Amino acid sequence: MPKCKRARVSKGPWRYSQYKLLLFLLTKDGVRQVTVTLNFETTEFGDQQRITYQYTSVVAAHIVDSRNGEKKLSLTLTNNPRDELTITGEWPGMPEFGDDDRIASQVSLDASGLERTLHVLEGIAAEGKEWITHENRRERAGLRRLVAAMEE
C-alpha cells in the first residue's frame, strides 16, 4: 500500500498500517477471489471486491519474482484482461531496504503463505480443475519415494 506506514522491532518482521487482503477460495468448480483493504490506524475495512471464475477461465498466471523481493502476480482470464497485483516490495517514498530489512521482509513473506498460493494459481493455470488431483498424486508419489529412501 503506497500510503501506509511501516515499522518493526529490531530483527523482527515488518508490520504495516494498512494491508491489502487477498483471499482465494477454491471450490469444486471454480475460484472465488475476495480483495479488501484493512487500515489498522482507522480500524476500517475498505471496499470489498469479489470475482468468481471457473477453473477453465484461467488462461495464464504470470509471476515476476524480482531479486529486490518484489513479487507481481498477473492472472489472465478468458473474459478479463490481465489483473496485475504487486504482492510485496518497496514503494515510492519509502526508505530503501538494507540487507537486514530484506531478510525481515522475506520472513514476513514466508509467514504469509504467498509461495504456496502462487504455486496453486500456477497449477490451476497449467492444468485447470484437474490440478488438485494431479498435485495430490505427485505429493503421494514423492512421499512414497521419501519413505523408500529412508528404508534403504
Side-chain angles (χ1 to χ4, degrees), residues 51-67:
I51 182 171
T52 302
Y53 43 92
Q54 296 177 335
Y55 292 114
T56 55
S57 295
V58 181
V59 176
H62 180 188
I63 296 164
V64 177
D65 193 353
S66 301
R67 290 189 303 178

Side-chain angles (χ1 to χ4, degrees), residues 1-92:
M1 304 297 309
K3 297 179 183 178
C4 75
K5 299 174 188 172
R6 71 176 181 174
R8 69 184 179 113
V9 296
S10 179
K11 304 208 185 258
W14 284 106
R15 302 293 183 216
Y16 298 89
S17 61
Q18 291 183 57
Y19 288 89
K20 180 180 254 184
L21 306 177
L22 183 60
L23 174 70
F24 294 93
L25 175 64
L26 306 180
T27 67
K28 179 182 166 201
D29 294 315
V31 179
R32 296 177 193 268
Q33 179 182 330
V34 178
T35 306
V36 66
T37 302
L38 175 57
N39 185 323
F40 278 91
E41 289 184 309
T42 63
T43 66
E44 294 176 346
F45 281 99
D47 293 340
Q48 187 180 99
Q49 300 173 21
R50 293 186 302 272
I51 182 171
T52 302
Y53 43 92
Q54 296 177 335
Y55 292 114
T56 55
S57 295
V58 181
V59 176
H62 180 188
I63 296 164
V64 177
D65 193 353
S66 301
R67 290 189 303 178
N68 70 355
E70 183 176 75
K71 293 183 184 291
K72 289 185 180 179
L73 163 66
S74 297
L75 278 182
T76 304
L77 305 177
T78 54
N79 62 347
N80 196 0
R82 272 190 162 176
D83 182 19
E84 187 170 288
L85 177 68
T86 300
I87 306 293
T88 184
E90 299 176 36
W91 297 301

